[in-house]
């Protein structure tokens, strides 16, 4: 297994919060790692990480062909809804996946979001999605571009909200007295996401090609954020009683544990905050 990892190449698009941490972990495990950049490569490049140009603009893919000279392509591109780029998201993912297939890539792992699910209910991977909002439709179509592709191995990971170093929820801007604060939290430590992706890279023939990645702990948002803000001393708003509790959304992330050797290291979100 160690010799296999020594020769296996993984390309990551893009090298943001998750992508860079994944790259660091893969280099530590002796994989050859390639990362993408859009305009200029970083001035301070990490040892044993190679950088290649890749830009997706209005559905068009421009890239250095060496980026897709890889065994596994991990796509960590954010949808860009806040920047008004969501309508191009499925096209961008499809362009990457199709080019990966043409380039002989064996495996693609795509990081989607639990935002694809409706706002209320309890959801597993078996839930039959009927996308309603533009956001849900864009995420669902991007996932389908991967799942219906001709690639030999393909996995979609629906990620909960990422927390971890430099991403402490005590610094998140939230209205503690908002109605949605009665809803449950769906979050996951970034280290657990990295370990789950590593598991799928090492064992690409996973039983399923769709997994939720969500910590099994779902406290109410009001309680969780107050705890997080108290930990950092950032609590500057009195938490009032929410008069109309809402069911909210709870996403079940247990399937990947049942089907693979992956196990969540941070199961309790309160305890997870002590590691950040």
């Amino acid at each position: 297994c160690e010799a296999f990892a020594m020769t296996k190449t993984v390309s990551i698009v893009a090298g943001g919060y998750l992508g860079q941490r994944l790259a660091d972990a893969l280099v530590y495990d002796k994989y050859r790692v390639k990362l993408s950049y859009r305009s200029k490569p970083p001035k301070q490049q990490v040892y044993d990480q190679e950088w290649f140009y890749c830009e997706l603009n209005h559905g068009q893919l421009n890239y250095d062909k060496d980026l897709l000279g890889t065994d596994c392509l991990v796509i960590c591109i954010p949808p860009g809804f806040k920047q008004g780029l969501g309508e191009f998201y499925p096209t961008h993912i499809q362009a990457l996946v199709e080019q990966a297939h043409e380039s002989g890539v064996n495996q693609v792992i795509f990081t989607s979001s639990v935002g694809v699910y409706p706002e209320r209910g309890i959801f597993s991977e078996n839930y039959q999605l009927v996308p309603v909002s533009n956001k849900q439709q864009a995420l669902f179509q991007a996932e389908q571009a991967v799942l219906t592709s001709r690639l030999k191995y393909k996995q979609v990971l629906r990620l909960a909200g990422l927390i971890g170093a430099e991403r402490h929820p005590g610094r998140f801007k939230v209205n503690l007295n908002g109605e949605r604060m009665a809803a449950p939290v769906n979050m996951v430590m970034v280290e657990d996401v990295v370990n789950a992706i590593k598991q799928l890279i090492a064992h690409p023939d996973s039983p399923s090609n769709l997994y939720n990645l969500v910590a099994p702990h779902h406290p109410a948002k009001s309680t969780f954020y107050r705890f997080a803000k108290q930990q950092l001393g950032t609590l500057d708003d009195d938490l009032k009683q929410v008069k109309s509790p809402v069911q909210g959304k709870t996403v079940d992330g247990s399937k990947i544990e049942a089907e693979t050797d992956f196990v969540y290291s941070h199961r309790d979100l309160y305890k997870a905050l002590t590691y950040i």
Side-chain angles (χ1 to χ4, degrees), residues 235-276:
L235 183 64
D236 57 4
D237 188 12
D238 293 331
L239 181 63
K240 301 175 183 177
Q241 182 69 33
V242 179
K243 296 182 180 179
S244 303
V246 295
Q247 179 187 9
K249 171 168 58 181
T250 301
V251 180
D252 181 0
S254 63
K255 182 179 179 181
I256 192 170
E257 284 190 314
E259 292 191 353
T260 74
D261 290 334
F262 167 76
V263 176
Y264 291 97
S265 297
H266 302 281
R267 310 184 70 81
D268 185 303
L269 292 178
Y270 294 136
K271 291 181 180 179
L273 294 182
T274 65
Y275 290 89
I276 300 177

Side-chain angles (χ1 to χ4, degrees), residues 140-156:
F140 181 72
Q141 290 169 8
E143 291 180 355
Q144 290 303 303
V146 177
L147 297 174
T148 61
S149 70
R150 296 172 290 170
L151 286 151
K152 184 176 182 180
Y153 302 116
K154 50 208 173 185
Q155 289 96 9
V156 169

Side-chain angles (χ1 to χ4, degrees), residues 39-56:
S39 54
K40 296 181 180 180
K43 294 182 180 179
Q44 294 182 340
Q45 297 189 25
V46 180
Y47 176 69
D48 279 345
Q49 294 180 14
E50 304 170 59
W51 290 82
F52 298 91
Y53 172 71
C54 181
E55 184 175 18
L56 290 148

Side-chain angles (χ1 to χ4, degrees), residues 18-38:
L18 171 60
Q20 187 59 65
R21 283 158 179 78
L22 175 61
D24 293 342
L26 291 172
V27 166
Y28 182 82
D29 287 347
K30 308 301 182 183
Y31 286 87
R32 182 185 179 191
V33 176
K34 299 179 179 182
L35 284 159
S36 73
Y37 68 88
R38 286 185 295 178

